[in-house]
Amino acid sequence: MPPMADDADEKFMRVALAEARKGLGAVSPNPAVGAVLVREGRVVASGYHRARGLPHAEIECLSTAPAGSLGTATLYVTLEPCSTIGRTPPCTDAIVRAGVRRVVVGAHDPNPAHRGRGIRELAAAGIEVTSGVLVNECSCLNEAFNKWIVTGQPFVIAKCGMSLDGRLTRPPNEGRWMTSPAARRHAMQLRAQVDAILIGAQTLREDNPRLTTRGIRGARQPWRVVLTRSGRLPRNSHLLSDRFAGRTLVFRRKSLTRVLTELGRREITSVLIEGGGETLGQAFDERLVDKVQFYVAPLITGGPVLAVAGKGIAATRAAAHLEEVRFENIGSDLVVTGYPKWPAQTVE
C-alpha cells in the first residue's frame, strides 16, 4: 500500500502550486508545473516550468538544491514527473540520479499513454512515492492542457461583461465599457493565461477591440481569432494592422467546431470566446463551452443587444447548468464562474 499523505504534505504541495502558477500563460502547450525540495521540514529549493523547451519544474528545483546528500529530502511536484524523451530528457531519470528519498505527486499525467509510468519508475528505483495530494487543485491548474492532450480540442472559456439583465446594450458615443476598471483588470489576467481569444466579425466591426494583455507585465500575446462569413473586414482595424497583426487568424465560412479543431491542431490548448452575443450563443447551442466567466455589472439597460443569443433551448430541462459555481465581487461587479453541464441528449 502506498504511503498516506499528511498535513505537511498538503502544506508543501501548496508551495509547489504557488510555483506552478508562475508559469501559467507561458508554457503552453505544456502544462504548468511547480516543484519544491524539502529537507528537515524546510524548503531548500524550488522551481517551475518557465517556457516550452526549457527545463521542467523538477530539474529547475533540483539544479538549485544545496550541496550534500538528498537521501533525506522529499521532492513535491504538482504533476507526475515525465518518463519519456520529448523536448527535454525524462525527469524521472534526474530524480533517481539526485538520490531523493521520497517524491510526493499532486496529479497523475492526464495522457493515457503515459499515466502512472513516471510513478512506477520512481518506485522501481526504490524511491518512496505518495500521489494524489491536493489532486483537485493540481488538476484544475491545467484544465486546458488536460482536455487538449486527451481530445486534441482546446478548452473553451465563454467570457463577457454584461448588465444585470443580460444585455450588452450601450448608448451611442458612450464608450464600450459596461463593467468597472477593476473587473476589466481581472479579465485581463484571464486573457494572459489563454492561448487564443476569439470573436465574431460583428464585434470587430462595432468595437474594434485590441484583444491584448496590456497592463500584465511579462504576458505573451495570445492568438486573436476572428470568425467571418463574408470576409469583409476593415483593414485598418487593430487586429489587422497593429504590431500583433501576425498573431491574428481569420476564418471565413467555417463553423465554430471546425475552427476549434484547427486551433487544436495548431497546439492551441485554450480559447477565450469574448463575443459577441451571436458567437457566444453558437458556442452554447453547440455545447462547446467548458467554462463560463461572466462579469455582471449592477446596471439595468434593456435594449436589443443580448450577451448570449443563439437559438436557445426548447425546454428549461435542456439548459446548461453550472457546476462548481463561484461568485466573487470585483470592484462594483459580480464575477460568476462555473462549468456548464448539459443533460444527456436524447434521440427522438
Side-chain angles (χ1 to χ4, degrees):
M1 179 179 294
M4 299 293 290
D6 57 23
D7 290 343
D9 286 342
E10 292 194 359
K11 169 188 172 182
F12 291 119
M13 187 59 73
R14 293 191 192 282
V15 180
L17 276 165
E19 286 292 315
R21 291 187 185 100
K22 296 176 183 178
L24 284 174
V27 299
S28 183
N30 292 349
V33 184
V36 295
L37 190 68
V38 176
R39 188 159 56 186
E40 298 177 356
R42 186 169 60 90
V43 174
V44 296
S46 61
Y48 68 97
H49 185 38
R50 296 173 181 271
R52 178 181 188 175
L54 294 183
H56 289 184
E58 302 93 317
I59 309 305
E60 281 269 324
C61 180
L62 292 171
S63 68
T64 61
S69 171
L70 298 182
T72 61
T74 298
L75 178 68
Y76 292 83
V77 58
T78 56
L79 183 66
E80 178 181 353
C82 66
S83 57
T84 57
I85 298 175
R87 297 182 182 91
T88 59
C91 290
T92 50
D93 291 354
I95 294 170
V96 172
R97 287 196 304 270
V100 172
R101 176 185 68 87
R102 180 173 178 246
V103 174
V104 179
V105 174
H108 283 80
D109 191 328
N111 188 337
H114 302 153
R115 183 180 178 88
R117 185 187 300 177
I119 289 174
R120 289 192 297 271
E121 288 191 4
L122 295 176
I127 296 174
E128 181 183 313
V129 182
T130 301
S131 62
V133 176
L134 299 184
V135 61
N136 291 337
E137 291 93 326
C138 292
S139 295
C140 186
L141 183 73
N142 289 305
E143 56 191 5
F145 172 82
N146 294 345
K147 178 187 178 184
W148 175 77
I149 199 65
V150 173
T151 68
Q153 295 286 319
F155 187 84
V156 177
I157 306 170
K159 173 257 176 183
C160 74
M162 62 183 181
S163 64
L164 190 60
D165 55 335
R167 298 297 199 275
L168 302 178
T169 308
R170 293 177 295 269
N173 305 317
E174 280 199 15
R176 57 192 180 92
W177 304 117
M178 188 171 293
T179 55
S180 65
R184 297 199 296 274
R185 286 192 298 271
H186 189 270
M188 202 65 68
Q189 291 281 357
L190 179 60
R191 280 185 181 177
Q193 294 178 4
V194 300
D195 292 344
I197 306 167
L198 184 148
I199 62 171
Q202 196 61 24
T203 297
L204 178 70
R205 297 186 189 103
E206 292 182 0
D207 293 345
N208 191 19
R210 297 180 185 274
L211 305 185
T212 60
T213 55
R214 56 195 177 275
I216 308 298
R217 188 173 183 179
R220 64 172 181 169
Q221 174 59 46
W223 288 96
R224 303 177 300 186
V225 181
V226 183
L227 306 187
T228 174
R229 295 187 185 92
S230 67
R232 293 190 297 273
L233 301 173
R235 305 307 302 177
N236 63 346
S237 63
H238 296 307
L239 300 194
L240 301 177
S241 63
D242 68 9
R243 64 191 179 101
F244 298 119
R247 298 281 287 177
T248 299
L249 301 171
V250 176
F251 291 90
R252 183 182 179 189
R253 294 181 180 173
K254 287 191 177 182
S255 69
L256 183 53
T257 299
R258 286 185 62 190
V259 169
L260 291 174
T261 297
E262 172 62 25
L263 296 179
R265 291 196 189 105
R266 291 172 177 258
E267 297 189 330
I268 290 173
T269 68
S270 55
V271 175
L272 180 66
I273 300 181
E274 289 209 7
E278 290 296 332
T279 303
L280 282 168
Q282 181 184 351
F284 280 101
D285 285 344
E286 298 181 19
R287 301 186 173 192
L288 298 174
V289 177
D290 297 297
K291 187 175 184 178
V292 166
Q293 190 154 315
F294 283 179
Y295 295 81
V296 185
L299 305 171
I300 305 292
T301 69
V305 187
L306 299 176
V308 179
K311 298 176 182 176
I313 56 174
T316 303
R317 63 178 182 275
H321 292 260
L322 292 189
E323 297 183 350
E324 301 178 44
V325 184
R326 290 190 297 109
F327 302 94
E328 184 179 4
N329 287 109
I330 303 290
S332 59
D333 305 310
L334 179 68
V335 184
V336 183
T337 307
Y339 299 84
K341 301 296 179 184
W342 286 269
Q345 289 180 312
T346 58
V347 178
E348 296 292 337

